[in-house]
Amino acid sequence: KMPKKATEALIRERYQEQEILRRRLMESGLLDLEERVPLPETALDQSERRVLWHYLEDIEKKLAVYLPLLERTELFKQIIDAKEFLFKSMEINKSDGFLFRSESGELVPLENLSSGEQHEIVLTYELLFKSAGRQLILIDEPELSLHVSWQQKFLRDMEEIAKTADLDFLIATHSPSIISHRSDLMVELSGDSDA
């Protein structure tokens, strides 16, 4: 049976939403690239609506499995892309995972990245994909090897990772750039003046 709410307009709307989700999954390397199959432009009869409704229900359940990984993958790419690695960009695909290409399109081996770029990739990757949720992560002096502009984005990145991966952070730093806009989170540690 098909529910009464399964109107043609709702079927077309859900189909479009699933197309957007599929595109995101393909761009994140979680699904193979595939061509879009559009719905017919003519009005859908009742049997077509019934088949499409059940198809959409089934696909929605199958694609829902990818959502937590998609969220982490998109955040990983967003954080790395925002760093604007010099003369290179990150790609993600199903067979290679993530890789970097130069402006001319040549593959850049990970060992050829700067120490700051490597540090940023490893830290972000480990936090998003290797840590279990509901943990307290201690980070000591993250400013080492980080460009000042990256230091200024560090807390924002950690806030996004905390939400996505369900983590809490305790960060020790000497850098005012790390604190930047969030001095409300700062607890100053000072030695005993009598010692």
Side-chain angles (χ1 to χ4, degrees):
K1 290 184 178 180
M2 185 173 62
K4 291 180 181 177
K5 68 177 183 175
T7 63
E8 180 169 340
L10 184 56
I11 288 171
R12 290 185 182 278
E13 180 183 322
R14 286 182 70 194
Y15 193 83
Q16 184 62 32
E17 289 169 0
Q18 284 189 13
E19 284 297 309
I20 292 167
L21 177 57
R22 280 177 185 273
R23 196 172 314 118
R24 287 174 55 205
L25 288 164
M26 286 185 276
E27 288 170 1
S28 294
L30 298 174
L31 280 185
D32 290 327
L33 295 176
E34 56 185 40
E35 286 191 38
R36 181 178 180 271
V37 179
L39 289 176
E41 293 183 20
T42 57
L44 302 172
D45 64 33
Q46 185 169 349
S47 63
E48 289 172 321
R49 286 198 325 269
R50 183 179 297 115
V51 168
L52 284 168
W53 184 263
H54 291 294
Y55 166 78
L56 291 169
E57 292 279 304
D58 183 55
I59 293 298
E60 196 170 278
K61 289 175 189 169
K62 289 177 179 173
L63 294 181
V65 172
Y66 291 102
L67 292 178
L69 185 56
L70 174 64
E71 185 179 12
R72 290 171 189 242
T73 303
E74 287 179 333
L75 181 57
F76 179 64
K77 183 154 177 37
Q78 174 191 326
I79 288 171
I80 299 303
D81 285 349
K83 299 303 184 270
E84 299 174 2
F85 287 10
L86 288 177
F87 312 114
K88 55 191 101 47
S89 59
M90 185 172 83
E91 293 178 10
I92 299 177
N93 66 52
K94 191 174 179 178
S95 59
D96 301 315
F98 67 90
L99 49 93
F100 289 85
R101 292 202 183 275
S102 67
E103 290 178 326
S104 63
E106 294 177 32
L107 189 62
V108 177
L110 295 178
E111 59 269 12
N112 289 0
L113 299 175
S114 72
S115 62
E117 291 169 338
Q118 290 178 17
H119 177 264
E120 191 66 24
I121 291 165
V122 169
L123 179 66
T124 306
Y125 181 85
E126 291 285 327
L127 291 172
L128 282 170
F129 298 105
K130 295 281 183 109
S131 60
R134 303 183 72 192
Q135 288 182 316
L136 174 64
I137 306 293
L138 308 175
I139 302 177
D140 187 32
E141 298 186 0
E143 63 270 17
L144 301 178
S145 299
L146 291 183
H147 187 278
V148 174
S149 67
W150 294 3
Q151 290 180 31
Q152 293 170 343
K153 297 175 184 175
F154 186 79
L155 278 186
R156 280 186 289 246
D157 293 344
M158 293 304 106
E159 287 172 333
E160 289 301 314
I161 290 171
K163 283 188 270 183
T164 301
D166 191 22
L167 299 171
D168 290 308
F169 292 98
L170 179 61
I171 300 168
T173 182
H174 297 285
S175 171
S177 297
I178 293 282
I179 303 301
S180 67
H181 68 292
R182 293 306 308 266
S183 59
D184 60 307
L185 298 175
M186 186 173 71
V187 175
E188 187 174 345
L189 300 178
S190 58
D192 186 2
S193 59
D194 296 334

